[in-house]
């Protein structure tokens, strides 16, 4: 059911407040969806935070590959936090409205994290290429300075594209309707609400999407083509298996992220439908962010060992505190007893 924008006084001349459409009119599916998405949100936050913390506290993981993985985990936390809390609120309450400024802020951060992830996945593919194709020069080529530079470029590109796209979209006039047929402020649904002919804007957004999504993907394909060629020339089966196992987690993450993202932003406009767009967006905002920590932890012995050591360290730390308190109590008690005995002997 379409929302009447004129119910809000600030929308009298132009749309200053938007509203997200409902997933379903029935309450039961919304409650079930809320529960599932909340669990995925909490799992994503916990898993990504644990991986980032384990990499930060484990000296064995202070390598280029895990430096990029820590960046990816922090990025996933921001990615989910920019979209899912507002969606969860909209599922269980009538507060589905969002201001024009709030919508622009959400779009900026969503675009920032999305484009940064595209660039960061390309940097991780380059890291694997150098590690497998030039192992003797890996330490010198993938220096700390280069890794920091690649990460800063990834975040910088995401920030520039996010600012540019958000400013470009919200420079348009919105004169109604005000109901966004989505669960967050994404580019295509907002363009559909703009006044007048937006075909030029759609072309511009499509070109930026092609450049920012396809360019890193081409770099990833080129890196893995070289990796595959190097692996096929490796004489030992153990060497081939080890080389491929180091890339399998990254390849799976790339497939999940780029598969859903490409279907959303690079397919023809005629093939879009609100239902499929929502499902795809739910997949790359919630499902992939939940699966990424599982993929990297289950398929990586170093990460599993670091997480295990982190857990054991926390248990030992919490276990030592009660013992330390008990020791202090016993020392205080023995001190008091000695003072009592000294007092008795003094009087005697």
């Amino acid at each position: 059911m379409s929302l009447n924008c004129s119910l809000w006084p600030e929308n009298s001349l132009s749309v200053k407040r938007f509203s997200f459409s409902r997933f379903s009119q029935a309450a039961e599916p919304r409650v079930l969806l809320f529960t599932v998405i909340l669990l995925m949100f909490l799992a994503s936050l916990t898993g990504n935070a644990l991986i980032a913390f384990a990499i930060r506290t484990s000296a064995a993981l202070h390598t280029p590959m895990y430096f990029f993985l820590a960046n990816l985990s922090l990025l996933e936390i921001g990615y989910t936090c920019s979209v899912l809390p507002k969606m969860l609120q909209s599922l269980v309450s009538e507060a589905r409205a969002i201001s024009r400024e709030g919508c622009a802020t959400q779009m900026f951060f969503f675009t920032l994290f999305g484009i940064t992830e595209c660039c960061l996945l390309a940097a991780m593919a380059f890291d694997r290429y150098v590690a497998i194709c030039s192992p003797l020069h890996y330490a010198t080529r993938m220096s700390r300075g280069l890794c920091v530079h690649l990460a800063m470029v990834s975040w910088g590109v995401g920030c520039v594209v996010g600012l540019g796209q958000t400013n470009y979209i919200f420079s348009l006039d919105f004169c109604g309707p005000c109901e966004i047929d989505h669960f967050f402020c994404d580019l295509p649904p907002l363009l559909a609400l703009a006044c007048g002919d937006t075909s030029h804007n759609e072309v511009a957004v499509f070109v930026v999407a092609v450049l920012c999504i396809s360019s890193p993907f081409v770099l990833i394909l080129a890196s893995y083509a070289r990796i595959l060629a190097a692996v096929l020339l490796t004489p030992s089966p153990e060497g081939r298996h080890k080389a491929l196992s180091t890339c399998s987690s990254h390849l799976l993450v790339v497939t999940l992220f780029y598969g859903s993202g490409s279907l959303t932003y690079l397919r023809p406009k005629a093939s879009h439908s609100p239902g499929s767009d929502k499902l795809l967006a739910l997949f790359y905002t919630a499902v992939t962010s939940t699966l990424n920590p599982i993929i990297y932890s289950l398929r990586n012995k170093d990460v599993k060992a670091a997480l295990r050591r982190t857990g054991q360290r926390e248990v030992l730390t919490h276990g030592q505190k009660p013992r330390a308190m008990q020791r202090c109590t016993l020392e205080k008690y023995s001190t008091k007893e000695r003072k009592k005995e000294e007092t008795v002997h003094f009087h005697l």
Side-chain angles (χ1 to χ4, degrees):
M1 186 176 66
S2 181
L3 190 69
N4 186 2
C5 295
S6 61
L7 294 175
W8 292 319
E10 59 265 41
N11 284 354
S12 57
L13 298 176
S14 63
V15 176
K16 300 294 183 185
R17 186 187 291 190
F18 297 96
S19 176
F20 299 115
S21 62
R22 287 186 181 278
F23 274 88
S24 171
Q25 294 297 326
E28 291 79 7
R30 293 205 305 271
V31 172
L32 177 62
L33 191 61
F34 172 84
T35 305
V36 172
I37 294 173
L38 178 62
L39 291 175
M40 287 194 294
F41 178 54
L42 295 176
S44 173
L45 290 182
T46 305
N48 284 296
L50 280 174
I51 286 181
F53 182 73
I55 293 172
R56 176 69 181 84
T57 56
S58 177
L61 299 184
H62 292 175
T63 62
M65 182 174 74
Y66 296 111
F67 170 77
F68 291 124
L69 180 56
N71 271 269
L72 184 66
S73 296
L74 294 175
L75 185 149
E76 293 287 2
I77 292 173
Y79 198 57
T80 53
C81 288
S82 67
V83 173
L84 295 186
K86 184 63 180 177
M87 184 184 71
L88 290 170
Q89 181 191 19
S90 301
L91 280 171
V92 293
S93 72
E94 294 299 322
R96 294 180 290 125
I98 185 169
S99 66
R100 187 185 177 107
E101 293 76 15
C103 193
T105 303
Q106 188 184 60
M107 178 182 287
F108 164 71
F109 281 108
F110 172 76
T111 308
L112 162 66
F113 293 125
I115 299 300
T116 303
E117 181 159 356
C118 291
C119 298
L120 203 58
L121 290 173
M124 294 172 78
F126 176 73
D127 169 71
R128 292 298 83 207
Y129 158 71
V130 176
I132 293 171
C133 298
S134 304
L136 298 178
H137 304 285
Y138 178 68
T140 55
R141 289 187 179 179
M142 294 302 296
S143 63
R144 180 174 179 80
L146 179 62
C147 294
V148 171
H149 182 72
L150 289 173
M152 288 177 64
V153 168
S154 299
W155 285 96
V157 170
C159 186
V160 170
V161 173
L163 283 172
Q165 290 283 67
T166 304
N167 182 65
Y168 187 63
I169 294 297
F170 283 90
S171 63
L172 300 172
D173 291 326
F174 295 92
C175 46
C178 65
E179 189 173 53
I180 303 170
D181 200 2
H182 215 334
F183 58 83
F184 68 97
C185 294
D186 201 5
L187 297 169
L190 271 169
L191 271 176
L193 300 181
C195 305
D197 181 21
T198 59
S199 57
H200 296 294
N201 307 88
E202 292 169 2
V203 170
V205 170
F206 180 77
V207 169
V208 172
V210 168
L211 290 175
C212 296
I213 295 175
S214 300
S215 299
F217 188 60
V218 169
L219 293 175
I220 293 171
L221 291 179
S223 297
Y224 276 106
R226 297 293 297 274
I227 289 171
L228 184 60
V231 168
L232 292 176
L233 294 174
T234 304
S236 117
E238 292 81 7
R240 286 196 297 268
H241 179 266
K242 184 178 180 181
L244 290 174
S245 65
T246 61
C247 302
S248 57
S249 299
H250 181 254
L251 269 176
L252 189 53
V253 170
V254 168
T255 303
L256 290 172
F257 181 76
Y258 271 96
S260 55
S262 300
L263 285 174
T264 301
Y265 296 104
L266 300 181
R267 60 181 172 152
K269 183 182 176 182
S271 62
H272 282 257
S273 69
S276 62
D277 288 349
K278 288 177 184 177
L279 287 176
L280 285 169
L282 187 61
F283 188 84
Y284 63 74
T285 54
V287 179
T288 57
S289 298
T290 306
L291 292 178
N292 285 356
I294 299 171
I295 292 169
Y296 278 111
S297 60
L298 290 180
R299 299 182 63 86
N300 192 305
K301 293 179 181 179
D302 294 334
V303 173
K304 283 193 288 187
L307 288 172
R308 197 157 40 242
R309 285 195 299 270
T310 301
Q312 290 171 354
R313 195 182 302 121
E314 289 298 315
V315 170
L316 289 173
T317 302
H318 288 296
Q320 286 171 355
K321 286 181 180 178
R323 286 198 293 271
M325 291 174 65
Q326 186 178 11
R327 191 160 52 246
C328 291
T329 304
L330 289 173
E331 289 174 357
K332 288 179 181 178
Y333 179 76
S334 60
T335 303
K336 288 180 180 178
E337 288 297 316
R338 282 198 303 271
K339 287 182 178 179
K340 285 182 181 179
E341 291 177 0
E342 289 172 0
T343 304
V344 171
H345 285 299
F346 176 77
H347 286 297
L348 289 173

